[in-house]
Amino acid sequence: MWVAGVLSARYPPGAHVELLVETAELEVGQDAICAAHFDDDGRVTALRPGPRGAPKAPPLWFVEVRESAASPPAVSLVAFTGHGVAAGSLLDETDIGGTSASAADQVGAVRWYPASGEVDQIYVQPQWRRRTVAGALVVVAAVLSYARGWPLLWADGQRTEMGEKFRNASTWRHRTMDLKHTSPPMTPGDT
């Protein structure tokens, strides 16, 4: 089984459409922004952004970090590339030890609150910016949230100047509030 986020005029925003397995990939085609793949136990094992969701992003794989002690509880998806891990793989915190990747190798991350769907932070390492990594993080987190039955992602009116530029160029703009507060840059020295 798989679930795909689709950006298409054929379906209204937020529509849940069930398709026959035999024809689903053909029908979704190039409109897929990301697909979530499940194992036989119903666990999401892969998140693959499509060319429409992340046209310039490198082949990314992800580590899910659940912050159950945070108030409210939060989830982060940390993106990596390479290190012998298949693109699209979704690992949890315990799986990362089986790879050669370290925290310093992360490409970027997105953090949100699964109870409400509010995105708290999006960060991309400076050397990976302008390669649609932030867009990939958003679509992957959105499809994971949907696949788990959590609320759809949205963002409030607080963000950095760079975040505002990303929001204004994003197809997800309708899922964000207008800018109310400009936060300081997340990377020291950024303007």
Side-chain angles (χ1 to χ4, degrees):
M1 181 173 97
W2 58 274
V3 170
V6 175
L7 185 60
S8 171
R10 293 182 294 166
Y11 309 109
H16 176 92
V17 180
E18 292 187 23
L19 303 170
L20 294 173
V21 169
E22 296 80 18
T23 61
E25 287 193 69
L26 286 175
E27 182 158 338
V28 170
Q30 293 299 311
D31 291 335
I33 55 171
C34 180
H37 297 261
F38 298 80
D39 65 13
D40 292 339
D41 296 324
R43 186 176 77 112
V44 178
T45 58
L47 294 157
R48 296 193 177 97
R52 190 146 187 203
K56 298 187 287 183
L60 299 170
W61 54 275
F62 308 93
V63 176
E64 180 179 11
V65 180
R66 291 190 182 215
E67 303 171 39
S68 54
S71 183
V75 172
S76 292
L77 277 181
V78 184
F80 296 86
T81 191
H83 296 279
V85 179
S89 295
L90 176 62
L91 309 179
D92 66 27
E93 297 170 79
T94 60
D95 297 329
I96 189 74
T99 73
S100 62
S102 70
D105 298 319
Q106 73 172 296
V107 172
V110 59
R111 181 178 190 262
W112 76 100
Y113 305 113
S116 67
E118 181 183 3
V119 174
D120 179 48
Q121 296 176 7
I122 302 170
Y123 180 77
V124 176
Q125 292 284 5
Q127 67 270 28
W128 290 102
R129 293 180 185 161
R130 305 215 182 283
R131 296 184 61 191
T132 64
V133 170
L137 287 164
V138 169
V139 299
V140 165
V143 169
L144 178 62
S145 231
Y146 183 83
R148 292 207 170 133
W150 298 344
L152 296 177
L153 296 188
W154 62 278
D156 68 8
Q158 300 180 75
R159 54 192 149 267
T160 64
E161 286 180 19
M162 188 177 294
E164 180 67 358
K165 288 177 185 175
F166 169 70
R167 179 257 189 188
N168 290 336
S170 173
T171 57
W172 295 87
R173 182 179 182 161
H174 68 286
R175 303 281 314 152
T176 64
M177 297 172 120
D178 289 337
L179 182 65
K180 302 278 189 247
H181 172 77
T182 302
S183 302
M186 295 176 72
T187 303
D190 274 1
T191 56

